[in-house]
Amino acid sequence: MVPFRLPAMLSTGAIAAVAALSLGGCTSGMSAAQNPETQAAATSAATAAAQSTASQLTGGLTGALGLPNLSSTSTSNLAGVLNYCVTNNLATGTNATGLLSTATQAAGVTNSPAYSAGQQGILQAVSNQTNTSQQYSLSSLAEPLRQKVCSAVSSRLQNML
């Protein structure tokens, strides 16, 4: 019989839930590995834990609530992130470069630490999950997600100017 192995990234809570479900299947005279209900519950718990871990690894940007709230993100940080997006070919075209040019001409934008952070791909925004200010690293995201963030940043910046 092949032993059941849990993914290495499962949380302690998920492991405890799987263990409890596995033990529950043993009382019916059937091993946990043979009980379809226990297998389904264990798979569900493992899937949920893996999805939660994946969401945490991307800094919350791909969580169930979508992109972070950009309403309180400074013009400086948005301009810096847009600079990052243009530099990395994530936002192209004259619209993005024109918007970046307009934003960087505003007083104090390019001298701000928030602009410098944005140039490095650090988005400073409010998490929809915790409603607190967070820093999100775009470099840790897959390119389609970075493009989505760049599009949202560009739209927000356009609305602000």
Side-chain angles (χ1 to χ4, degrees), residues 9-54:
M9 295 184 349
L10 285 179
S11 68
T12 304
I15 292 171
V18 171
L21 291 170
S22 295
L23 291 175
C26 291
T27 60
S28 65
M30 185 184 294
S31 76
Q34 295 170 325
N35 186 333
E37 291 176 11
T38 303
Q39 285 178 342
T43 300
S44 177
T47 301
Q51 288 171 343
S52 174
T53 301

PDB file of all heavy atoms in Angstrom, residues 9-54:
ATOM      1  N   MET A   9       3.461  22.180   1.826  1.00  0.00           N
ATOM      2  CA  MET A   9       3.083  23.548   2.153  1.00  0.00           C
ATOM      3  C   MET A   9       1.772  23.634   2.932  1.00  0.00           C
ATOM      4  O   MET A   9       1.240  24.710   3.118  1.00  0.00           O
ATOM      5  CB  MET A   9       2.978  24.374   0.867  1.00  0.00           C
ATOM      6  CG  MET A   9       4.298  24.515   0.190  1.00  0.00           C
ATOM      7  SD  MET A   9       4.401  25.556  -1.275  1.00  0.00           S
ATOM      8  CE  MET A   9       2.777  25.931  -1.756  1.00  0.00           C
ATOM      9  N   LEU A  10       1.231  22.537   3.411  1.00  0.00           N
ATOM     10  CA  LEU A  10      -0.020  22.597   4.159  1.00  0.00           C
ATOM     11  C   LEU A  10       0.189  23.250   5.519  1.00  0.00           C
ATOM     12  O   LEU A  10       1.213  23.079   6.157  1.00  0.00           O
ATOM     13  CB  LEU A  10      -0.593  21.196   4.370  1.00  0.00           C
ATOM     14  CG  LEU A  10      -1.247  20.550   3.161  1.00  0.00           C
ATOM     15  CD1 LEU A  10      -1.740  19.170   3.537  1.00  0.00           C
ATOM     16  CD2 LEU A  10      -2.377  21.371   2.634  1.00  0.00           C
ATOM     17  N   SER A  11      -0.813  23.973   5.956  1.00  0.00           N
ATOM     18  CA  SER A  11      -0.731  24.594   7.268  1.00  0.00           C
ATOM     19  C   SER A  11      -0.986  23.554   8.352  1.00  0.00           C
ATOM     20  O   SER A  11      -1.542  22.491   8.083  1.00  0.00           O
ATOM     21  CB  SER A  11      -1.775  25.714   7.375  1.00  0.00           C
ATOM     22  OG  SER A  11      -3.078  25.157   7.378  1.00  0.00           O
ATOM     23  N   THR A  12      -0.629  23.890   9.570  1.00  0.00           N
ATOM     24  CA  THR A  12      -0.843  22.989  10.694  1.00  0.00           C
ATOM     25  C   THR A  12      -2.326  22.687  10.871  1.00  0.00           C
ATOM     26  O   THR A  12      -2.717  21.562  11.133  1.00  0.00           O
ATOM     27  CB  THR A  12      -0.271  23.610  11.985  1.00  0.00           C
ATOM     28  OG1 THR A  12       1.101  23.914  11.755  1.00  0.00           O
ATOM     29  CG2 THR A  12      -0.401  22.666  13.154  1.00  0.00           C
ATOM     30  N   GLY A  13      -3.163  23.702  10.700  1.00  0.00           N
ATOM     31  CA  GLY A  13      -4.612  23.520  10.846  1.00  0.00           C
ATOM     32  C   GLY A  13      -5.154  22.544   9.822  1.00  0.00           C
ATOM     33  O   GLY A  13      -5.993  21.694  10.123  1.00  0.00           O
ATOM     34  N   ALA A  14      -4.686  22.637   8.585  1.00  0.00           N
ATOM     35  CA  ALA A  14      -5.145  21.727   7.538  1.00  0.00           C
ATOM     36  C   ALA A  14      -4.692  20.302   7.828  1.00  0.00           C
ATOM     37  O   ALA A  14      -5.436  19.348   7.611  1.00  0.00           O
ATOM     38  CB  ALA A  14      -4.651  22.185   6.181  1.00  0.00           C
ATOM     39  N   ILE A  15      -3.466  20.155   8.333  1.00  0.00           N
ATOM     40  CA  ILE A  15      -2.959  18.825   8.661  1.00  0.00           C
ATOM     41  C   ILE A  15      -3.792  18.213   9.784  1.00  0.00           C
ATOM     42  O   ILE A  15      -4.166  17.047   9.719  1.00  0.00           O
ATOM     43  CB  ILE A  15      -1.460  18.882   9.046  1.00  0.00           C
ATOM     44  CG1 ILE A  15      -0.642  19.253   7.804  1.00  0.00           C
ATOM     45  CG2 ILE A  15      -0.991  17.552   9.625  1.00  0.00           C
ATOM     46  CD1 ILE A  15       0.814  19.549   8.087  1.00  0.00           C
ATOM     47  N   ALA A  16      -4.126  19.019  10.785  1.00  0.00           N
ATOM     48  CA  ALA A  16      -4.953  18.523  11.888  1.00  0.00           C
ATOM     49  C   ALA A  16      -6.328  18.111  11.389  1.00  0.00           C
ATOM     50  O   ALA A  16      -6.876  17.091  11.804  1.00  0.00           O
ATOM     51  CB  ALA A  16      -5.078  19.592  12.973  1.00  0.00           C
ATOM     52  N   ALA A  17      -6.896  18.889  10.471  1.00  0.00           N
ATOM     53  CA  ALA A  17      -8.211  18.566   9.923  1.00  0.00           C
ATOM     54  C   ALA A  17      -8.161  17.259   9.148  1.00  0.00           C
ATOM     55  O   ALA A  17      -9.046  16.409   9.269  1.00  0.00           O
ATOM     56  CB  ALA A  17      -8.703  19.698   9.023  1.00  0.00           C
ATOM     57  N   VAL A  18      -7.127  17.084   8.350  1.00  0.00           N
ATOM     58  CA  VAL A  18      -6.979  15.857   7.578  1.00  0.00           C
ATOM     59  C   VAL A  18      -6.799  14.671   8.521  1.00  0.00           C
ATOM     60  O   VAL A  18      -7.399  13.610   8.323  1.00  0.00           O
ATOM     61  CB  VAL A  18      -5.795  15.967   6.582  1.00  0.00           C
ATOM     62  CG1 VAL A  18      -5.490  14.626   5.946  1.00  0.00           C
ATOM     63  CG2 VAL A  18      -6.112  17.000   5.515  1.00  0.00           C
ATOM     64  N   ALA A  19      -5.995  14.836   9.561  1.00  0.00           N
ATOM     65  CA  ALA A  19      -5.773  13.753  10.520  1.00  0.00           C
ATOM     66  C   ALA A  19      -7.074  13.385  11.224  1.00  0.00           C
ATOM     67  O   ALA A  19      -7.394  12.210  11.386  1.00  0.00           O
ATOM     68  CB  ALA A  19      -4.709  14.154  11.539  1.00  0.00           C
ATOM     69  N   ALA A  20      -7.850  14.396  11.617  1.00  0.00           N
ATOM     70  CA  ALA A  20      -9.123  14.129  12.291  1.00  0.00           C
ATOM     71  C   ALA A  20     -10.076  13.393  11.362  1.00  0.00           C
ATOM     72  O   ALA A  20     -10.773  12.460  11.769  1.00  0.00           O
ATOM     73  CB  ALA A  20      -9.750  15.437  12.770  1.00  0.00           C
ATOM     74  N   LEU A  21     -10.104  13.805  10.102  1.00  0.00           N
ATOM     75  CA  LEU A  21     -10.970  13.136   9.140  1.00  0.00           C
ATOM     76  C   LEU A  21     -10.515  11.705   8.899  1.00  0.00           C
ATOM     77  O   LEU A  21     -11.323  10.793   8.761  1.00  0.00           O
ATOM     78  CB  LEU A  21     -10.984  13.914   7.816  1.00  0.00           C
ATOM     79  CG  LEU A  21     -11.679  15.265   7.862  1.00  0.00           C
ATOM     80  CD1 LEU A  21     -11.414  16.030   6.572  1.00  0.00           C
ATOM     81  CD2 LEU A  21     -13.169  15.093   8.082  1.00  0.00           C
ATOM     82  N   SER A  22      -9.208  11.502   8.851  1.00  0.00           N
ATOM     83  CA  SER A  22      -8.671  10.160   8.625  1.00  0.00           C
ATOM     84  C   SER A  22      -9.019   9.234   9.781  1.00  0.00           C
ATOM     85  O   SER A  22      -9.409   8.095   9.573  1.00  0.00           O
ATOM     86  CB  SER A  22      -7.153  10.213   8.446  1.00  0.00           C
ATOM     87  OG  SER A  22      -6.827  10.929   7.282  1.00  0.00           O
ATOM     88  N   LEU A  23      -8.906   9.720  10.988  1.00  0.00           N
ATOM     89  CA  LEU A  23      -9.238   8.913  12.156  1.00  0.00           C
ATOM     90  C   LEU A  23     -10.723   8.607  12.204  1.00  0.00           C
ATOM     91  O   LEU A  23     -11.132   7.535  12.604  1.00  0.00           O
ATOM     92  CB  LEU A  23      -8.795   9.615  13.440  1.00  0.00           C
ATOM     93  CG  LEU A  23      -7.270   9.712  13.633  1.00  0.00           C
ATOM     94  CD1 LEU A  23      -6.959  10.533  14.869  1.00  0.00           C
ATOM     95  CD2 LEU A  23      -6.641   8.347  13.721  1.00  0.00           C
ATOM     96  N   GLY A  24     -11.534   9.569  11.788  1.00  0.00           N
ATOM     97  CA  GLY A  24     -12.980   9.352  11.771  1.00  0.00           C
ATOM     98  C   GLY A  24     -13.360   8.226  10.837  1.00  0.00           C
ATOM     99  O   GLY A  24     -14.303   7.485  11.082  1.00  0.00           O
ATOM    100  N   GLY A  25     -12.637   8.061   9.736  1.00  0.00           N
ATOM    101  CA  GLY A  25     -12.943   6.999   8.796  1.00  0.00           C
ATOM    102  C   GLY A  25     -12.609   5.621   9.340  1.00  0.00           C
ATOM    103  O   GLY A  25     -13.143   4.629   8.878  1.00  0.00           O
ATOM    104  N   CYS A  26     -11.746   5.544  10.345  1.00  0.00           N
ATOM    105  CA  CYS A  26     -11.316   4.256  10.878  1.00  0.00           C
ATOM    106  C   CYS A  26     -12.363   3.619  11.776  1.00  0.00           C
ATOM    107  O   CYS A  26     -12.346   2.419  11.985  1.00  0.00           O
ATOM    108  CB  CYS A  26     -10.005   4.410  11.662  1.00  0.00           C
ATOM    109  SG  CYS A  26      -8.612   4.800  10.583  1.00  0.00           S
ATOM    110  N   THR A  27     -13.293   4.379  12.313  1.00  0.00           N
ATOM    111  CA  THR A  27     -14.264   3.825  13.241  1.00  0.00           C
ATOM    112  C   THR A  27     -15.308   2.963  12.547  1.00  0.00           C
ATOM    113  O   THR A  27     -15.983   2.177  13.176  1.00  0.00           O
ATOM    114  CB  THR A  27     -14.991   4.947  14.012  1.00  0.00           C
ATOM    115  OG1 THR A  27     -15.658   5.783  13.057  1.00  0.00           O
ATOM    116  CG2 THR A  27     -14.019   5.749  14.836  1.00  0.00           C
ATOM    117  N   SER A  28     -15.431   3.074  11.243  1.00  0.00           N
ATOM    118  CA  SER A  28     -16.451   2.305  10.536  1.00  0.00           C
ATOM    119  C   SER A  28     -15.949   0.920  10.148  1.00  0.00           C
ATOM    120  O   SER A  28     -16.645   0.194   9.455  1.00  0.00           O
ATOM    121  CB  SER A  28     -16.898   3.073   9.287  1.00  0.00           C
ATOM    122  OG  SER A  28     -15.810   3.166   8.383  1.00  0.00           O
ATOM    123  N   GLY A  29     -14.745   0.569  10.559  1.00  0.00           N
ATOM    124  CA  GLY A  29     -14.196  -0.722  10.203  1.00  0.00           C
ATOM    125  C   GLY A  29     -13.489  -0.681   8.849  1.00  0.00           C
ATOM    126  O   GLY A  29     -13.012  -1.669   8.357  1.00  0.00           O
ATOM    127  N   MET A  30     -13.446   0.473   8.264  1.00  0.00           N
ATOM    128  CA  MET A  30     -12.828   0.660   6.950  1.00  0.00           C
ATOM    129  C   MET A  30     -11.636   1.580   7.168  1.00  0.00           C
ATOM    130  O   MET A  30     -11.723   2.522   7.939  1.00  0.00           O
ATOM    131  CB  MET A  30     -13.879   1.336   6.045  1.00  0.00           C
ATOM    132  CG  MET A  30     -13.472   1.519   4.618  1.00  0.00           C
ATOM    133  SD  MET A  30     -14.744   2.422   3.678  1.00  0.00           S
ATOM    134  CE  MET A  30     -16.108   1.290   3.700  1.00  0.00           C
ATOM    135  N   SER A  31     -10.528   1.323   6.536  1.00  0.00           N
ATOM    136  CA  SER A  31      -9.377   2.217   6.712  1.00  0.00           C
ATOM    137  C   SER A  31      -9.687   3.563   6.081  1.00  0.00           C
ATOM    138  O   SER A  31     -10.532   3.675   5.195  1.00  0.00           O
ATOM    139  CB  SER A  31      -8.124   1.615   6.090  1.00  0.00           C
ATOM    140  OG  SER A  31      -8.173   1.734   4.683  1.00  0.00           O
ATOM    141  N   ALA A  32      -8.988   4.589   6.540  1.00  0.00           N
ATOM    142  CA  ALA A  32      -9.209   5.941   6.021  1.00  0.00           C
ATOM    143  C   ALA A  32      -8.947   6.000   4.529  1.00  0.00           C
ATOM    144  O   ALA A  32      -9.634   6.706   3.796  1.00  0.00           O
ATOM    145  CB  ALA A  32      -8.306   6.939   6.755  1.00  0.00           C
ATOM    146  N   ALA A  33      -7.974   5.234   4.052  1.00  0.00           N
ATOM    147  CA  ALA A  33      -7.638   5.256   2.633  1.00  0.00           C
ATOM    148  C   ALA A  33      -8.745   4.630   1.792  1.00  0.00           C
ATOM    149  O   ALA A  33      -8.884   4.939   0.622  1.00  0.00           O
ATOM    150  CB  ALA A  33      -6.327   4.527   2.400  1.00  0.00           C
ATOM    151  N   GLN A  34      -9.569   3.740   2.390  1.00  0.00           N
ATOM    152  CA  GLN A  34     -10.631   3.075   1.653  1.00  0.00           C
ATOM    153  C   GLN A  34     -11.947   3.842   1.710  1.00  0.00           C
ATOM    154  O   GLN A  34     -12.842   3.574   0.932  1.00  0.00           O
ATOM    155  CB  GLN A  34     -10.858   1.669   2.223  1.00  0.00           C
ATOM    156  CG  GLN A  34      -9.675   0.752   2.025  1.00  0.00           C
ATOM    157  CD  GLN A  34      -9.852  -0.535   2.801  1.00  0.00           C
ATOM    158  OE1 GLN A  34     -10.415  -0.551   3.889  1.00  0.00           O
ATOM    159  NE2 GLN A  34      -9.346  -1.640   2.247  1.00  0.00           N
ATOM    160  N   ASN A  35     -12.090   4.773   2.638  1.00  0.00           N
ATOM    161  CA  ASN A  35     -13.344   5.495   2.828  1.00  0.00           C
ATOM    162  C   ASN A  35     -13.427   6.662   1.837  1.00  0.00           C
ATOM    163  O   ASN A  35     -12.674   7.624   1.942  1.00  0.00           O
ATOM    164  CB  ASN A  35     -13.423   6.002   4.279  1.00  0.00           C
ATOM    165  CG  ASN A  35     -14.748   6.634   4.599  1.00  0.00           C
ATOM    166  OD1 ASN A  35     -15.426   7.162   3.719  1.00  0.00           O
ATOM    167  ND2 ASN A  35     -15.119   6.587   5.854  1.00  0.00           N
ATOM    168  N   PRO A  36     -14.347   6.609   0.872  1.00  0.00           N
ATOM    169  CA  PRO A  36     -14.443   7.675  -0.135  1.00  0.00           C
ATOM    170  C   PRO A  36     -14.759   9.041   0.469  1.00  0.00           C
ATOM    171  O   PRO A  36     -14.277  10.061  -0.009  1.00  0.00           O
ATOM    172  CB  PRO A  36     -15.576   7.219  -1.055  1.00  0.00           C
ATOM    173  CG  PRO A  36     -15.793   5.779  -0.761  1.00  0.00           C
ATOM    174  CD  PRO A  36     -15.282   5.530   0.625  1.00  0.00           C
ATOM    175  N   GLU A  37     -15.580   9.071   1.515  1.00  0.00           N
ATOM    176  CA  GLU A  37     -15.911  10.353   2.146  1.00  0.00           C
ATOM    177  C   GLU A  37     -14.678  10.978   2.787  1.00  0.00           C
ATOM    178  O   GLU A  37     -14.455  12.179   2.694  1.00  0.00           O
ATOM    179  CB  GLU A  37     -17.018  10.174   3.185  1.00  0.00           C
ATOM    180  CG  GLU A  37     -18.361   9.826   2.579  1.00  0.00           C
ATOM    181  CD  GLU A  37     -19.410   9.555   3.632  1.00  0.00           C
ATOM    182  OE1 GLU A  37     -19.172   9.835   4.821  1.00  0.00           O
ATOM    183  OE2 GLU A  37     -20.475   9.038   3.257  1.00  0.00           O
ATOM    184  N   THR A  38     -13.868  10.161   3.446  1.00  0.00           N
ATOM    185  CA  THR A  38     -12.642  10.649   4.071  1.00  0.00           C
ATOM    186  C   THR A  38     -11.664  11.122   3.016  1.00  0.00           C
ATOM    187  O   THR A  38     -11.032  12.170   3.159  1.00  0.00           O
ATOM    188  CB  THR A  38     -11.993   9.552   4.938  1.00  0.00           C
ATOM    189  OG1 THR A  38     -12.939   9.122   5.907  1.00  0.00           O
ATOM    190  CG2 THR A  38     -10.750  10.068   5.623  1.00  0.00           C
ATOM    191  N   GLN A  39     -11.543  10.378   1.924  1.00  0.00           N
ATOM    192  CA  GLN A  39     -10.658  10.787   0.844  1.00  0.00           C
ATOM    193  C   GLN A  39     -11.093  12.129   0.256  1.00  0.00           C
ATOM    194  O   GLN A  39     -10.274  13.003   0.009  1.00  0.00           O
ATOM    195  CB  GLN A  39     -10.632   9.733  -0.262  1.00  0.00           C
ATOM    196  CG  GLN A  39      -9.842   8.508   0.094  1.00  0.00           C
ATOM    197  CD  GLN A  39      -9.875   7.470  -1.016  1.00  0.00           C
ATOM    198  OE1 GLN A  39     -10.727   7.502  -1.891  1.00  0.00           O
ATOM    199  NE2 GLN A  39      -8.927   6.543  -0.971  1.00  0.00           N
ATOM    200  N   ALA A  40     -12.397  12.291   0.040  1.00  0.00           N
ATOM    201  CA  ALA A  40     -12.911  13.542  -0.521  1.00  0.00           C
ATOM    202  C   ALA A  40     -12.662  14.703   0.432  1.00  0.00           C
ATOM    203  O   ALA A  40     -12.261  15.793   0.014  1.00  0.00           O
ATOM    204  CB  ALA A  40     -14.401  13.416  -0.829  1.00  0.00           C
ATOM    205  N   ALA A  41     -12.893  14.488   1.723  1.00  0.00           N
ATOM    206  CA  ALA A  41     -12.675  15.548   2.705  1.00  0.00           C
ATOM    207  C   ALA A  41     -11.193  15.907   2.803  1.00  0.00           C
ATOM    208  O   ALA A  41     -10.841  17.083   2.896  1.00  0.00           O
ATOM    209  CB  ALA A  41     -13.213  15.116   4.078  1.00  0.00           C
ATOM    210  N   ALA A  42     -10.325  14.901   2.774  1.00  0.00           N
ATOM    211  CA  ALA A  42      -8.886  15.159   2.841  1.00  0.00           C
ATOM    212  C   ALA A  42      -8.416  15.914   1.609  1.00  0.00           C
ATOM    213  O   ALA A  42      -7.625  16.851   1.699  1.00  0.00           O
ATOM    214  CB  ALA A  42      -8.120  13.841   2.990  1.00  0.00           C
ATOM    215  N   THR A  43      -8.926  15.515   0.447  1.00  0.00           N
ATOM    216  CA  THR A  43      -8.563  16.213  -0.787  1.00  0.00           C
ATOM    217  C   THR A  43      -9.039  17.652  -0.745  1.00  0.00           C
ATOM    218  O   THR A  43      -8.319  18.570  -1.123  1.00  0.00           O
ATOM    219  CB  THR A  43      -9.174  15.483  -2.002  1.00  0.00           C
ATOM    220  OG1 THR A  43      -8.670  14.153  -2.027  1.00  0.00           O
ATOM    221  CG2 THR A  43      -8.830  16.197  -3.302  1.00  0.00           C
ATOM    222  N   SER A  44     -10.246  17.859  -0.261  1.00  0.00           N
ATOM    223  CA  SER A  44     -10.794  19.213  -0.155  1.00  0.00           C
ATOM    224  C   SER A  44      -9.965  20.069   0.796  1.00  0.00           C
ATOM    225  O   SER A  44      -9.646  21.225   0.503  1.00  0.00           O
ATOM    226  CB  SER A  44     -12.246  19.153   0.325  1.00  0.00           C
ATOM    227  OG  SER A  44     -12.760  20.444   0.499  1.00  0.00           O
ATOM    228  N   ALA A  45      -9.583  19.517   1.932  1.00  0.00           N
ATOM    229  CA  ALA A  45      -8.771  20.257   2.907  1.00  0.00           C
ATOM    230  C   ALA A  45      -7.402  20.577   2.329  1.00  0.00           C
ATOM    231  O   ALA A  45      -6.888  21.686   2.490  1.00  0.00           O
ATOM    232  CB  ALA A  45      -8.619  19.454   4.206  1.00  0.00           C
ATOM    233  N   ALA A  46      -6.805  19.627   1.632  1.00  0.00           N
ATOM    234  CA  ALA A  46      -5.489  19.852   1.034  1.00  0.00           C
ATOM    235  C   ALA A  46      -5.567  20.906  -0.055  1.00  0.00           C
ATOM    236  O   ALA A  46      -4.700  21.773  -0.162  1.00  0.00           O
ATOM    237  CB  ALA A  46      -4.934  18.545   0.469  1.00  0.00           C
ATOM    238  N   THR A  47      -6.615  20.865  -0.869  1.00  0.00           N
ATOM    239  CA  THR A  47      -6.793  21.855  -1.932  1.00  0.00           C
ATOM    240  C   THR A  47      -6.976  23.242  -1.348  1.00  0.00           C
ATOM    241  O   THR A  47      -6.362  24.206  -1.811  1.00  0.00           O
ATOM    242  CB  THR A  47      -7.998  21.488  -2.815  1.00  0.00           C
ATOM    243  OG1 THR A  47      -7.766  20.195  -3.377  1.00  0.00           O
ATOM    244  CG2 THR A  47      -8.213  22.508  -3.916  1.00  0.00           C
ATOM    245  N   ALA A  48      -7.804  23.371  -0.324  1.00  0.00           N
ATOM    246  CA  ALA A  48      -8.034  24.671   0.313  1.00  0.00           C
ATOM    247  C   ALA A  48      -6.743  25.224   0.912  1.00  0.00           C
ATOM    248  O   ALA A  48      -6.443  26.410   0.776  1.00  0.00           O
ATOM    249  CB  ALA A  48      -9.111  24.554   1.392  1.00  0.00           C
ATOM    250  N   ALA A  49      -5.970  24.379   1.554  1.00  0.00           N
ATOM    251  CA  ALA A  49      -4.712  24.828   2.153  1.00  0.00           C
ATOM    252  C   ALA A  49      -3.715  25.259   1.081  1.00  0.00           C
ATOM    253  O   ALA A  49      -3.029  26.260   1.230  1.00  0.00           O
ATOM    254  CB  ALA A  49      -4.105  23.717   3.018  1.00  0.00           C
ATOM    255  N   ALA A  50      -3.648  24.512  -0.007  1.00  0.00           N
ATOM    256  CA  ALA A  50      -2.731  24.870  -1.090  1.00  0.00           C
ATOM    257  C   ALA A  50      -3.138  26.198  -1.731  1.00  0.00           C
ATOM    258  O   ALA A  50      -2.290  27.031  -2.042  1.00  0.00           O
ATOM    259  CB  ALA A  50      -2.691  23.766  -2.136  1.00  0.00           C
ATOM    260  N   GLN A  51      -4.455  26.408  -1.917  1.00  0.00           N
ATOM    261  CA  GLN A  51      -4.921  27.668  -2.491  1.00  0.00           C
ATOM    262  C   GLN A  51      -4.623  28.832  -1.560  1.00  0.00           C
ATOM    263  O   GLN A  51      -4.230  29.902  -1.994  1.00  0.00           O
ATOM    264  CB  GLN A  51      -6.419  27.599  -2.781  1.00  0.00           C
ATOM    265  CG  GLN A  51      -6.749  26.715  -3.957  1.00  0.00           C
ATOM    266  CD  GLN A  51      -8.234  26.472  -4.111  1.00  0.00           C
ATOM    267  OE1 GLN A  51      -9.014  26.699  -3.199  1.00  0.00           O
ATOM    268  NE2 GLN A  51      -8.633  25.995  -5.278  1.00  0.00           N
ATOM    269  N   SER A  52      -4.790  28.627  -0.263  1.00  0.00           N
ATOM    270  CA  SER A  52      -4.500  29.674   0.706  1.00  0.00           C
ATOM    271  C   SER A  52      -3.017  30.025   0.685  1.00  0.00           C
ATOM    272  O   SER A  52      -2.651  31.200   0.702  1.00  0.00           O
ATOM    273  CB  SER A  52      -4.905  29.212   2.110  1.00  0.00           C
ATOM    274  OG  SER A  52      -4.499  30.148   3.072  1.00  0.00           O
ATOM    275  N   THR A  53      -2.173  29.005   0.632  1.00  0.00           N
ATOM    276  CA  THR A  53      -0.736  29.240   0.589  1.00  0.00           C
ATOM    277  C   THR A  53      -0.345  29.963  -0.693  1.00  0.00           C
ATOM    278  O   THR A  53       0.444  30.899  -0.664  1.00  0.00           O
ATOM    279  CB  THR A  53       0.037  27.908   0.708  1.00  0.00           C
ATOM    280  OG1 THR A  53      -0.321  27.296   1.948  1.00  0.00           O
ATOM    281  CG2 THR A  53       1.531  28.128   0.668  1.00  0.00           C
ATOM    282  N   ALA A  54      -0.918  29.572  -1.810  1.00  0.00           N
ATOM    283  CA  ALA A  54      -0.616  30.227  -3.083  1.00  0.00           C
ATOM    284  C   ALA A  54      -1.022  31.692  -3.028  1.00  0.00           C
ATOM    285  O   ALA A  54      -0.306  32.569  -3.504  1.00  0.00           O
ATOM    286  CB  ALA A  54      -1.334  29.522  -4.224  1.00  0.00           C
TER     287      ALA A  54
END
